[in-house]
């Protein structure tokens, strides 16, 4: 009885590949159709996708190529039961939180056409709203999903804005039609990584559905440099770090193999002491440790700028084996940057 009521009320959800001409015969014309998948035989048909363009510092993925699939991880929806409403989906590495509840729907007949989609029978997430915001628990270098409007056989312009914080990194706009023109909305960052994605449309498709949520987290560590100035027999040291993707979470250092300390400002070390330093980004990538100080071969510098009365020179990564070279460098008399 419950199933009959759902069908009668038009609440049994499915992606049905039925042309608009069948609408007056009771066939569904949207995701939220009035028949179950087994009751409809989908005719063969092709649909060309129209890519409207991109803006910003991103690289677009037009279709789910094998390279795109291999280099990303998919968040499975298999653990959700049909018609379950959720406000987030997750795997072991990333949680995607939505700005409203979405409903998990089974796809019984056709979701787009190959190779424009990964499979024609995916699980999808549906919302009656014409916009959807996704917040990522970790910065992603690549993020993508397949997108379709609720209403069939009418093209709608959709835009996916990719954000880092509240700043738009880039945007993709595509004109998409269901059920045969489902499109991939996916991008790889070329500068800042993604922490949020917002889907909008200027049309009124009475809702939208997404599938195949894929991502690749930022795996590039920050880079840290030391600036050293010699004052008598000591060095004044300042550390600076940068990370173009997810940003620097912290910089830390230790002296003479002591405890690691969070860098909060300049400090000094003796000319016979050792210094190690590194940074961590907001994704958790840890930079390889840099070393400064005496070793068996001489005095080692790694990622070091030298500040003297004549200015700042560097960066240097080298071991100084001669006392005269050491003095020339820190007195600003110059020396080759590599050896």
């Amino acid at each position: 009885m419950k199933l009959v009521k759902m069908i009668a009320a038009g609440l049994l959800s499915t992606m049905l590949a039925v042309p608009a001409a069948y609408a007056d015969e009771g066939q569904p014309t949207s995701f939220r159709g009035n028949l179950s998948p087994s009751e409809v035989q989908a005719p063969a048909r092709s649909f060309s996708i129209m890519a409207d363009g991109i803006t910003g510092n991103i690289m677009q993925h037009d279709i789910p190529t094998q390279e795109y699939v291999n280099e990303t991880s998919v968040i499975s929806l298999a653990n959700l039961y049909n018609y379950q409403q959720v406000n987030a989906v997750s795997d072991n590495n990333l949680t995607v939180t939505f700005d409203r509840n979405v409903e998990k729907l089974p796809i019984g007949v056709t979701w787009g056409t190959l190779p424009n989609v990964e499979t024609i029978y995916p699980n999808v997430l549906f919302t009656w709203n014409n916009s959807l915001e996704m917040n990522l628990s970790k910065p992603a270098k690549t993020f993508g999903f397949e997108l379709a409007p609720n209403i069939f056989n009418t093209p709608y312009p959709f835009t996916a804005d990719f954000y880092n914080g509240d700043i738009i990194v880039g945007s993709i706009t595509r004109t998409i039609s269901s059920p045969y023109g489902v499109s991939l909305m996916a991008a790889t960052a070329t500068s800042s990584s993604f922490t949020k994605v917002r889907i909008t449309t200027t049309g009124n498709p009475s809702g939208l559905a997404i599938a195949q949520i894929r991502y690749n987290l930022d795996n590039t560590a920050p880079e840290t440099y030391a600036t050293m100035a010699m004052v008598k027999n000591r060095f004044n040291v300042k550390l600076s770090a940068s990370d173009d993707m997810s940003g620097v979470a912290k910089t830390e250092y230790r002296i003479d193999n002591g405890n690691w300390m969070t860098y909060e400002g300049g400090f000094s070390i003796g000319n016979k002491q050792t210094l190690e330093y590194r940074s961590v980004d907001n994704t958790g990538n840890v930079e390889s440790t840099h070393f400064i100080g005496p070793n068996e071969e001489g005095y080692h510098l790694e990622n070091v700028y030298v500040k003297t009365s004549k200015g700042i020179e560097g960066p240097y990564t080298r071991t100084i084996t001669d006392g005269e070279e050491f003095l020339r460098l820190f007195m600003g008399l110059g020396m080759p940057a590599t050896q």
Side-chain angles (χ1 to χ4, degrees), residues 221-226 237-242 248-255 258-264 267 275-281 284-292 302-303:
E223 189 164 18
T224 310
Y225 290 90
V237 181
K238 291 185 178 181
L239 303 178
S240 60
S242 62
V248 178
K250 67 176 180 178
T251 297
E252 54 187 8
Y253 68 98
R254 66 178 181 178
I255 299 172
N259 295 328
W260 285 99
M261 298 176 287
T262 300
Y263 177 72
E264 296 179 346
F267 57 92
L275 170 66
E276 295 170 276
Y277 63 97
R278 64 191 181 192
S279 294
V280 183
D281 69 14
N285 297 309
V286 181
E287 180 185 18
S288 297
T289 301
H290 301 295
F291 176 85
I292 296 173
E302 191 172 337
N303 274 25

Side-chain angles (χ1 to χ4, degrees), residues 53-61 68 132-134 136 140-147 158-174 184-200 213-215:
I54 65 171
T55 59
N57 298 316
I58 60 174
M59 180 184 71
Q60 180 182 4
H61 301 272
Y68 167 77
L132 185 66
E133 183 175 292
M134 294 175 277
L136 314 185
K141 183 177 181 180
T142 298
F143 189 81
F145 50 90
E146 294 170 5
L147 173 66
F158 281 92
T159 296
D161 294 318
F162 295 80
Y163 287 79
N164 184 287
D166 293 326
I167 299 174
I168 295 180
V169 178
S171 301
I172 296 175
T173 298
R174 305 192 79 166
L184 177 66
M185 303 287 265
T188 293
T190 58
S191 57
S192 299
S193 55
F194 310 136
T195 60
K196 178 173 65 179
V197 179
R198 180 177 295 158
I199 307 168
T200 56
I213 300 173
R214 286 189 169 274
Y215 69 91

